[in-house]
Amino acid sequence: MTAGPILRIEGLRTRFGGFAAVDGVDLDVPRGRTLGIVGESGCGKSVLSLSVMGLVPRPGRIAEGRVLLEGRDLLTLPPAAMRRVRGGEVAMIFQEPMTSLNPVHTVGAQIVEAMRAHEPKGQGSARDLRERAIAALRRVRIPSPERRFEEYPHQLSGGMRQRVMIAMALACAPRLLIADEPTTALDVTVQAQILDLLRELQAETGMSIILITHDLGVVAEMADEVAVMYAGRVVERAPAAALFEDPQHPYTIGLLGSVPRLDEERTRLLAIEGSVPPPFALPPGCRFAPRCPFVAEACRAEVPALRGIGPAHGVACLRAPVELAA
Amino acid sequence: QPAPRNTLVVLREIDADNYDPPRSTARSAGESIYMMSDTLVSLDWDMKTVKPGLAERWEVSPDGRTYTFHLRRDVTFCDGKPFTARDVVYTMNRWLDPATRSPVRWRAGPVKEIRARDDHTVEYELNEPYGELLYQLSLFFASIVDQATVERLGPNFGVQGFNGTGPYCWVSWTPRQELVLQKHPNYRWGPPIYANPAPQVDRVIWRVVPESQTRLAALQTGQADATQYIPPIAISQLRQMPNVRMSTQENYFWDYFVGFKVDKPVMNDPAVRRAINQAVNRAAIVQAVWFGSAKPADAYLNPNTAGYDAEAAKLVPGYDPEAAKRTLDEAGWRMGPDNVRVKDGQRASFLTYVINTQQSRQVLEAMQADLRRVGIEMKIQMWDATVGWGRLATQEFDAFMMSYPYVTATDGFSLYFDSRNRPTPNRMNWSDPATDRALEQAKVALDPAARMAAIAEAQRLVAAANVWFPVAREQLWVASSMRAEGVRAHGIYGVALYKGLDIRLTR
Amino acid sequence: MSATTAEAEAPRRPGLLARLLRDPAAAGALIFTLLLLAAAALAPWLAPTDPLDNNLALSMQPPGSPGLPLGADAQGRDMVTRMLFGLRASLLMGFSATLAGGVVGVLLGFLAAFYQRWLDGPIMRLMDMMLSFPAILVGLAIAAIFGPGLSSVVLALAIATVPLMARIARGSALVTMRLDYIEAARAIGMTDARLIWRHLAPNCLSAIFVFTTLRFGQVILLGSALSFLGLGAQPPTAELGAMASEGRNFLFFAPHIAVIPCIGIFAIVLAFNLLGDALRDALDPRLRF
Amino acid sequence: MSAPLLEVEGLARHWAVKGGTVRAVDGVSFALGRGETLALVGESGCGKSTTARLALRLIEPTAGRVRIDGTDITGLSGGAMRRMRRQAQIIFQDPYASLNPRLTVGEAIAEPLIVHGIGDAASRAARVRELLGLVGLAAWQAGRFPHEFSGGQRQRIGIARALAVQPALIICDEPVSALDVSIQAQVVNLLKDLQARLGLAYLFIAHDLAVVKHMADRVAVMYLGRIMEVADKRSLFANPRHPYTRALLSAIPQPDPRRRGMVKPLGGDVPSPLNPPPGCRFHTRCPHAEAICREVEPPDVEVAPGHRSACHFAAALPPVEALAGEGLSPIAARRLALFAERKPTQSAPSTLT
Amino acid sequence: MARHALRRILLVIPVLLGVLLIGFLLMQVVPTDAATVRAGPTATPEVVEAIRRDLGLDRPLYVQFGLYLWRLAQGDLGVSIINNVPVSQELGATIGPTLELMVASLVWAIPLGILMGTAAAYWRGGAIDKAILAVSVAGGSVPVFFLGLLLIWFVGFQWQLLPFTGRGGPLWTMEGLQAIVLPALTLGGVFIGPVARMTRTAVLDVLSADHVRTARAKGLTERRVVTMHALRNALIPVVTLVGLQIGFLLGGAVVTETVFSWPGVGRLAVGAILSSDLPMAQGTIIVLSSGFILINLAVDMLYAALDPRMRAA
Ligand SMILES: Nc1ncnc2c1ncn2[C@@H]1O[C@H](COP(=O)(O)OP(=O)(O)OP(=O)(O)O)[C@@H](O)[C@H]1O
Ligand SMILES: Nc1ncnc2c1ncn2[C@@H]1O[C@H](COP(=O)(O)OP(=O)(O)OP(=O)(O)O)[C@@H](O)[C@H]1O
Ligand SMILES: [Mg+2]
Ligand SMILES: [Mg+2]
Ligand code: NI
């Protein structure tokens, strides 16, 4: 029971009315390591993570698939058990540190609340919980945590708030942390601090992390494994090094080309023409086909399956590797 | 939720401004003042016979100028002080004093002097005869009050306190809410019209309830014991109710009329005024508005009034819309394009002001519809009671509707048709030397026949000129709960309970 | 536009009307409101009798009497006719008051927001003052000045509406003014008047419009309260509030005279509330895509 | 050589807020020549947008002056200022808020022409078509409303609107920050193409140093309302002479797992602009700070020709290790080239969706 | 917090002064003559003229206003020209009952409205939501007087459960409590709909907020999420909106007081304005308007108490 992935997602499909925001995703989250998920806005990254947490907002619902945490299917858990998983075994932090904390409660109260939710009734005195919350704040390197404990979110800076979110998520020592674009709203210098912190905490606790981002730089910096998503599907999956070394899917290639780099001088960026198809007008077959320079007739008809092409490297493209298609 | 034991709860529609006898003209002031104080003389149920009050008996000098009142000796004020002739002299002089600003000073007559001959005799001397005097002295304006209390309270007399000789004494007043009175323990001098001269109820609460339906419900559920403010529509139903007693008074002089400003365009044409009188179906209106609790007023006065003239009544035209059209045609009013008659470029249209009450609104709306049928346009502007009186003192309108109480023919007519009383209360601007002369005669004549002839003359002059459109003669009804026995409607100045004697609470 | 171009994929965002009609409750509210408006507009043609013609013999006939489906009022006038004309007067009263108050209020609100430096303080303090007079008091004072009547009620309600509208308009303008396209328009070199007229106003209107429908209901209710206090329409004008308040004197004997106009008021207010809610939903950006 | 197109001198803007005064921009000077791109980078709240607005006099400065084409615009009257606005235009970060949802795209683009009384209806319509073509949209799209467009397309519409009056200068306030990576590349390419064709000058505001490196000729780094360092792009990236610039550069994660762990976070948060630290504003977070930094505001020194830095130790800072890493892996680079090759014609009207 | 409060209080002063001036001017424009009012329907012109001189109504307007302000500054609101009672005494007697009525109405209407709104938001889209929505929209559409009369008709008259004429006594007595039930039901009844709807919207807004998602992700029970996170935050806009509706409530109070013969300041105001009793009318206007202003001030403070972001440094 120890070796396998901590979380395994199988054929997950989450629908919003007429369309599936997450459309048949299979993923493994390696134990004690970081899985990075990249993709453009709207490709279903957040819905995927909310599906794992059982927090898909209305009118969304999970249509099929399994989400196995240590072998237990979270989708079939009764609500009370799911609540124990949430925040207890799996914790989550969100993109917007500005709005993700309740503005009317003190920071400390919100952390204490998270702890109390996963404690057997009546255990832990108020004082004890307070001590532990302050310790949690200290652990995420918040200066003078005793004072911050009494403060309200609006009195903290963005980076500080994100740290509070992390402290809260880690309050019950989860085995899996889902971080949905935790640094997108932050400045680069602060982003660097948060990423550093996450890395240290992972080393300390051995937890697994799902890190969602649209920034290839962050993925390269943090992830051990990477999944690239496009329009609700995983189009490529690989260990981080392999992905940057040997990008297979045309979308991954385009993405790499779109990013200006500090270590390289180019006159033009490689822009992927067009934009992500809106969810109500998805093409049949490969969803990247309308923008893909390597597109073939078959791409428009057939949905490509994720096929393995190397150790732990999979790609959902009929034309990969693209040299052969060219 | 029954009313408290041995407390009589009386409901009324509006409160009075104050309870100082010479300073208020409101019926609601009279309601309580009659209970809190007494007048020298009282009026019998027939509304004609003057009976003793604080005065046991009185004499009138042959020239009609001096009245000598012999007072009772057993009377005390609420504060226990004995009542004497000095109190009468003080009260009367206060009424007459211009500083009091009594709006009803004229009712006291052309006084020369009022003297106390001894502790129990008062002489009331006039400059000229005044046949009305005894009736006027039975009205609550002439209620006897205590000098010391008046002087102590100053302008707050009747606001913060009161001291009279009446069957009930002032306890407290919360304006617009309630006035609380309690039994005057020694009171035994009630007017002889009552079976028992002493009060039998411990407390009386005059409570203001503006909503008519609420009053009805309160009465029927026993939250209140009596009210005279009953919507006409409810009267016949209440009479069938097993848990409500009804009492009525035949001799009740409270009339509704529409008056015309005889010097304003359109209204200054006697033909128009006559046509209006002919065009409006008075009987139908009175039936629809009062449901039988009022009689159509086919004359300017109630036939039971002292001084009523039957000949004058015949001069008031009856309902005949065809005749109305003829009258207008003959006078040169031709039908205009918008169904309103026109004469010399003048539309037959007039503006009517009225104080907003259920009855007057309904009457005017029905009149409006009737007049439309003969080609006269009547516009209506309703006013809340308090602003309305001010508005009715102006010359902005062409006609108005009012209701008023009176005691005798002379009383009513000299008030409304004396040219000196323009603009109020003579709002018709009726200025006719012949009428003025007749009214003067009626006031000073010593011979009852001569007086009768004079007042009849005045009635004929006014009726012939169609200065008013008399509408209705209201009947007085008092509804009382089953536990309140002996409630009998009197109706002096429109006040039903008068002294409030003879009323007992069972249970 | 030619359908041959490759632009046909993105479905056009459905128009406001289409979005309104999609929700059955909203469609119901819209149709209900339109029916009321139509009934009011067509009152002279729909009414079975002359609204002023009375027949005292029929006074207070209960509903269902021969030829009088809703009965007759105290004057013996057909209640159907009275209701149609009453609806007309009430709606007219509501419209003119909301419109007059709305126009003035919106203008003041815009000015306050646009010239925030100089005008915001004075205008909004003035609005605070106006707001602190309950509408009923304003109505009483105005009736005391000009005499009771429909026009006094309209004036009072309009005055009471001004500060609310100004607040809404200001709030919505302040939000809009922070948007970049306002800044862009300024950068183009546009005059203030054009900026307000072409960019600010149209984009604040939906919020104002929603509030207007809701305020309309309140105005009708306030108007009926003023009528109740005896300040409303003068006879023989039929107006629902005045009819109801007149009819209340017969509540125990001929309840239909009061109850039917009350139901009328209820219907109008309900219709506009529902419409306002539906509009709010239809205009809510979060429900768009 | 004539005067620079845009010249800003000692520009300052203070906001009164509850609790004090925010010195959003506190003495900023720079110049921008014709056809040149000056990038303004810095962290959130350091005053970039405020500077942009001041430069166009969309808000009034507390101090300092702005010259456009030699004319001091700070004192211009309403009418003259409105005429001056043809020279300089602005495009914004938020593609959703920068277009009036109630105007069609054609109306929005034609509006500057109407305001300045340029041409008649027909010629304006033609110009709108031309502008749409210029930014890679189709002429028929003029009748559409903004909500029917994607974020990238809206940004193009904003650019077309700015171009309508043929300005010499466009201020770009984070024009690509809100866009997805793949779309961001499209817009960056478009801006560069337009500059090449029309000889535009850009004041390019961004927080992403990689984008800046791609776009700019010169770079100015702002911190708490002040410019810390200005230099030619090459010189700045190769040899940053201010600790803050260095911190920024080393905080950017590179899309290259081989360089993992090179990110060196700077301690602390950006101080509140309500009461900026005395002396050097950066001393609270500066790894090189000494006593003097806490007391003396460092002067702006020219450390190399055209390279100015506001640091006491500008010249004394150790050299940085070369940033230029290995770049893309060979396989990736080859595939990229293939991708670019097979792409349909560059900047063709992207009829997207 | 204290400074915020002080600032708000200082801001109230000019508004109050303005209200005073508007109130005075408004009553000056009323074309009725107080002297005539006082003299009564059958008075002759000389009497009216004399009364006018007594009341000082023949003096120029600015003198009257100056005197008014001067006396006001000394805390003297004048005496009623109708019955000579000091205005302050009348106000003192009527404010209590009005406050009593408003508190009694709000005390049940606001909690119930909030409860209904929260329930509707919680089960949004379901039958409960629809039912609550229907009830609250309908409740907000009924004229106050109609609701009052219905209650009198059924509860008071048909079933004879409760009294409905006037105030029964102080609230701590049985009579007082019984008497206030129907008026409070009436006034609260028309308020409950708006509160419920505001709450529903606000709770729905908050339920879709990021921090509620955070709360759920912490594994809190749904009940705790709704009460501690959604409702608590939703109260902030609800409180503001309730403050704005106070004017509407005051208007409703005037009508309710009339229907139930409740001896409050609303009825006093109606009577005073209609009878051109200038000092009394101005007194009531000042009281009602300052009541409105003070309630809004209180709402503002409450707002700050509920929302830590408002407690400015
Ligand atoms: N509550 C919702 N109702 C309807 N559609 C939704 C909802 N939430 C998400 N979606 C849709 O699901 C799709 C995936 O959204 P998701 O939020 O997962 O994207 P994402 O990859 O997280 O994007 P971003 O980078 O912008 O956060 C989108 O098309 C979005 O419109
Ligand atoms: N209208 C205003 N009133 C008060 N303060 C303001 C105003 N506009 C800007 N500020 C303040 O001025 C400072 C600089 O703001 P500015 O918008 O110029 O920053 P920026 O560098 O553009 O930041 P970002 O990257 O977040 O857009 C900030 O602290 C901001 O809070
Ligand atoms: Mg997301
Ligand atoms: Mg900015
Ligand atoms: Ni970024």
Side-chain angles (χ1 to χ4, degrees), chain A residues 40 189 193 223 246-247 262, chain D residues 43 182 186 213 260 266 335:
Chain A
E40 282 180 85
T189 53
Q193 294 168 4
D246 176 23
L262 281 178
Chain D
E43 282 175 290
S182 69
Q186 294 170 8
K213 185 172 181 217
R260 178 179 289 201
L266 190 61
R335 288 184 179 153

Side-chain angles (χ1 to χ4, degrees), chain B residues 166-219:
Chain B
Y168 299 97
C169 298
W170 172 289
V171 175
S172 67
W173 180 35
T174 320
R176 284 169 307 280
Q177 189 183 8
E178 59 184 23
L179 176 70
V180 182
L181 310 179
Q182 71 184 15
K183 185 160 132 181
H184 186 169
N186 304 324
Y187 191 90
R188 286 184 313 280
W189 50 88
I193 64 170
Y194 286 103
N196 188 338
Q200 296 157 69
V201 183
D202 288 343
R203 283 168 92 80
V204 177
I205 296 179
W206 285 93
R207 180 168 291 157
V208 182
V209 177
E211 283 296 303
S212 65
Q213 307 298 299
T214 314
R215 284 195 300 276
L216 286 179
L219 193 75

Side-chain angles (χ1 to χ4, degrees), chain E residues 127-212:
Chain E
I128 294 182
D129 182 20
K130 297 224 166 76
I132 290 179
L133 198 65
V135 167
S136 47
V137 173
S141 310
V142 185
V144 185
F145 59 85
F146 189 54
L147 185 59
L149 290 176
L150 282 185
L151 284 175
I152 290 183
W153 172 242
F154 286 108
V155 184
F157 182 57
Q158 294 276 311
W159 307 329
Q160 308 214 1
L161 294 176
L162 289 162
F164 45 86
T165 48
R167 186 165 169 259
L171 264 192
W172 51 88
T173 61
M174 198 56 204
E175 290 75 28
L177 276 179
Q178 284 178 335
I180 206 167
V181 173
L182 288 184
L185 277 179
T186 305
L187 188 54
V190 296
F191 205 51
I192 198 164
V195 172
R197 291 197 317 148
M198 289 170 208
T199 311
R200 179 180 180 273
T201 322
V203 170
L204 275 186
D205 268 358
V206 178
L207 275 178
S208 64
D210 287 348
H211 65 78
V212 169

Side-chain angles (χ1 to χ4, degrees), chain C residues 1 5-7 9 12-13 179-181 183-184 186-191 194 198-199 202-203 206, chain D residues 53 58 82 85 89-90 92 97-103 111-112 115-116 140 144 147-148 161 353:
Chain C
M1 263 163 267
T5 36
E7 38 88 326
E9 299 94 90
R12 279 191 65 98
R13 187 179 56 126
L179 295 178
D180 291 341
Y181 62 82
E183 193 114 90
R186 223 194 273 260
I188 285 167
M190 208 172 272
T191 54
R194 186 181 165 93
R198 218 167 136 73
H199 291 278
N203 287 296
S206 64
Chain D
R53 291 201 175 102
L58 292 171
R82 274 200 285 279
R85 294 201 181 284
Q89 284 297 309
I90 183 164
F92 297 96
S98 56
L99 290 174
N100 185 339
R102 279 165 209 279
L103 296 187
E111 196 154 47
V115 166
H116 289 285
W140 58 261
R144 292 286 171 111
H147 67 257
E148 297 172 78
R161 176 179 55 190
T353 50

Side-chain angles (χ1 to χ4, degrees), chain A residues 40-57:
Chain A
E40 282 180 85
S41 178
C43 70
K45 306 184 296 288
S46 300
V47 172
L48 175 68
S49 52
L50 292 173
S51 302
V52 172
M53 294 293 283
L55 289 175
V56 180

Side-chain angles (χ1 to χ4, degrees), chain D residues 87-138:
Chain D
Q87 295 287 318
Q89 284 297 309
I90 183 164
I91 53 184
F92 297 96
Q93 165 173 15
D94 185 348
Y96 293 88
S98 56
L99 290 174
N100 185 339
R102 279 165 209 279
L103 296 187
T104 63
V105 166
E107 286 171 320
I109 299 176
E111 196 154 47
L113 304 173
I114 299 172
V115 166
H116 289 285
I118 300 170
D120 55 13
S123 70
R124 282 200 295 263
R127 175 87 176 122
V128 166
R129 281 196 296 278
E130 184 193 333
L131 286 164
L132 282 173
L134 204 58
V135 297
L137 294 173

Side-chain angles (χ1 to χ4, degrees), chain D:
Chain D
M1 194 61 204
S2 59
L5 180 58
L6 171 71
E7 200 177 357
V8 162
E9 226 178 86
L11 205 56
R13 172 70 211 213
H14 301 172
W15 298 106
V17 295
K18 55 181 172 191
T21 311
V22 171
R23 295 154 168 263
V25 172
D26 202 13
V28 161
S29 309
F30 59 82
L32 171 61
R34 286 185 184 276
E36 191 193 17
T37 303
L38 171 68
L40 204 54
V41 283
E43 282 175 290
S44 178
C46 71
K48 304 183 295 292
S49 301
T50 308
T51 309
R53 291 201 175 102
L54 286 171
L56 290 180
R57 214 181 139 205
L58 292 171
I59 49 179
E60 299 294 328
T62 308
R65 53 188 76 265
V66 177
R67 273 189 285 274
I68 291 182
D69 221 0
T71 315
D72 186 350
I73 63 164
T74 34
L76 283 188
S77 71
M81 188 62 224
R82 274 200 285 279
R83 278 190 296 284
M84 185 51 105
R85 294 201 181 284
R86 289 185 61 176
Q87 295 287 318
Q89 284 297 309
I90 183 164
I91 53 184
F92 297 96
Q93 165 173 15
D94 185 348
Y96 293 88
S98 56
L99 290 174
N100 185 339
R102 279 165 209 279
L103 296 187
T104 63
V105 166
E107 286 171 320
I109 299 176
E111 196 154 47
L113 304 173
I114 299 172
V115 166
H116 289 285
I118 300 170
D120 55 13
S123 70
R124 282 200 295 263
R127 175 87 176 122
V128 166
R129 281 196 296 278
E130 184 193 333
L131 286 164
L132 282 173
L134 204 58
V135 297
L137 294 173
W140 58 261
Q141 287 171 313
R144 292 286 171 111
F145 284 92
H147 67 257
E148 297 172 78
F149 292 86
S150 69
Q153 285 176 309
R154 285 175 196 231
Q155 212 56 311
R156 289 165 193 254
I157 297 165
I159 296 172
R161 176 179 55 190
L163 290 175
V165 288
Q166 296 178 300
L169 166 68
I170 294 185
I171 296 186
C172 310
D173 190 359
E174 312 214 22
V176 293
S177 306
L179 301 177
D180 270 341
V181 241
S182 69
I183 311 296
Q184 171 174 325
Q186 294 170 8
V187 174
V188 164
N189 285 348
L190 172 66
L191 284 172
K192 284 197 89 165
D193 291 349
L194 289 171
Q195 183 170 43
R197 277 172 69 180
L198 305 174
L200 295 169
Y202 290 135
L203 178 62
F204 189 89
I205 296 174
H207 66 262
D208 186 339
L209 275 175
V211 173
V212 162
K213 185 172 181 217
H214 186 72
M215 278 295 294
D217 300 317
R218 284 194 302 132
V219 182
V221 181
M222 260 185 106
Y223 187 76
L224 276 187
R226 277 285 176 114
I227 290 184
M228 296 280 122
E229 184 168 13
V230 196
D232 181 67
K233 167 172 73 177
R234 229 165 288 278
S235 162
L236 186 106
F237 282 96
N239 185 19
R241 290 282 101 198
H242 195 286
Y244 178 58
T245 315
R246 292 176 177 219
L248 275 185
L249 282 171
S250 65
I252 303 171
Q254 289 300 297
D256 187 351
R258 290 166 298 180
R259 295 178 54 85
R260 178 179 289 201
M262 305 276 282
V263 165
K264 289 189 215 73
L266 190 61
D269 283 323
V270 186
S272 152
L274 254 180
N275 37 10
C280 173
R281 280 153 203 254
F282 186 59
H283 82 250
T284 51
R285 303 172 75 194
C286 184
H288 306 281
E290 308 224 348
I292 182 172
C293 300
R294 282 184 273 280
E295 277 141 35
V296 184
E297 175 116 47
D300 200 9
V301 292
E302 185 148 22
V303 288
H307 193 152
R308 310 179 70 87
S309 165
C311 176
H312 289 295
F313 307 103
L317 290 176
V320 285
E321 48 184 306
L323 246 172
E326 296 97 308
L328 281 167
S329 76
I331 307 178
R334 200 167 64 242
R335 288 184 179 153
L336 240 68
L338 267 174
F339 193 105
E341 205 172 282
R342 294 184 57 119
K343 228 167 42 168
T345 42
Q346 306 244 305
S347 76
S350 74
T351 36
L352 108 144
T353 50

Side-chain angles (χ1 to χ4, degrees), chain A:
Chain A
M1 256 298 277
T2 42
I6 183 159
L7 184 80
R8 159 163 266 164
I9 298 173
E10 288 175 3
L12 185 69
R13 181 164 285 130
T14 304
R15 308 188 68 89
F16 281 94
F19 69 92
V22 170
D23 198 6
V25 164
D26 299 296
L27 277 178
D28 286 344
V29 182
R31 193 176 297 273
R33 318 203 60 189
T34 302
L35 168 72
I37 302 180
V38 269
E40 282 180 85
S41 178
C43 70
K45 306 184 296 288
S46 300
V47 172
L48 175 68
S49 52
L50 292 173
S51 302
V52 172
M53 294 293 283
L55 289 175
V56 180
R58 286 176 220 221
R61 93 204 139 73
I62 297 171
E64 53 189 275
R66 297 205 295 167
V67 175
L68 302 168
L69 178 73
E70 311 267 29
R72 268 180 309 155
D73 187 357
L74 296 185
L75 300 185
T76 57
L77 280 188
M82 188 61 212
R83 212 159 43 231
R84 278 194 297 277
V85 170
R86 235 183 265 145
E89 291 171 69
V90 185
M92 185 157 179
I93 55 182
F94 299 94
Q95 167 173 4
E96 284 292 337
M98 300 300 165
T99 54
S100 291
L101 287 169
N102 191 334
V104 308
H105 297 297
T106 60
V107 161
Q110 296 187 58
I111 298 176
V112 166
E113 188 182 38
M115 293 173 165
R116 189 165 275 148
H118 295 283
E119 210 121 300
K121 268 250 149 41
Q123 215 190 26
S125 68
R127 185 200 203 94
D128 181 38
L129 284 170
R130 187 192 146 94
E131 285 311 315
R132 279 168 51 197
I134 289 175
L137 286 174
R138 191 171 289 122
R139 195 149 66 124
V140 294
R141 325 264 187 279
I142 285 186
S144 48
E146 289 84 0
R147 187 161 58 85
R148 297 298 183 190
F149 183 91
E150 311 286 353
E151 290 192 342
Y152 288 93
H154 72 274
Q155 291 167 296
L156 308 183
S157 70
M160 209 92 94
R161 276 183 240 186
Q162 197 58 291
R163 275 175 235 232
V164 171
M165 284 293 294
I166 295 173
M168 204 155 74
L170 299 189
C172 300
R175 280 177 288 170
L176 172 64
L177 175 71
I178 305 179
D180 186 358
E181 315 213 19
T183 57
T184 304
L186 302 174
D187 282 324
V188 262
T189 53
V190 183
Q191 162 171 302
Q193 294 168 4
I194 298 291
L195 294 182
D196 206 41
L197 175 66
L198 279 179
R199 217 165 14 214
E200 279 179 42
L201 291 172
Q202 185 176 33
E204 229 173 86
T205 62
M207 67 183 168
S208 315
I209 298 181
I210 298 179
L211 179 72
I212 293 172
T213 179
H214 65 261
D215 189 336
L216 284 178
V218 172
V219 169
E221 186 68 34
M222 299 287 294
D224 303 303
E225 302 269 334
V226 184
V228 181
M229 279 185 77
Y230 188 79
R233 294 188 184 144
V234 174
V235 293
E236 185 162 4
R237 227 184 56 203
L243 188 88
F244 286 89
E245 182 72 33
D246 176 23
Q248 288 277 346
H249 197 280
Y251 175 64
T252 315
I253 299 168
L255 213 52
L256 273 173
S258 296
V259 190
R261 301 170 73 105
L262 281 178
D263 58 0
E264 208 188 48
E265 197 71 48
R266 271 181 287 164
T267 44
R268 283 188 72 79
L269 297 175
L270 176 84
I272 311 174
E273 289 304 324
S275 58
V276 187
F280 47 80
L282 290 173
C286 173
R287 288 181 178 169
F288 189 60
R291 303 172 77 188
C292 180
F294 308 101
V295 67
E297 241 1 86
C299 299
R300 300 194 201 274
E302 192 185 326
V303 180
L306 196 70
R307 62 191 161 93
I309 51 157
H313 195 156
V315 64
C317 179
L318 297 175
R319 310 275 285 161
V322 296
E323 310 72 287
L324 302 183

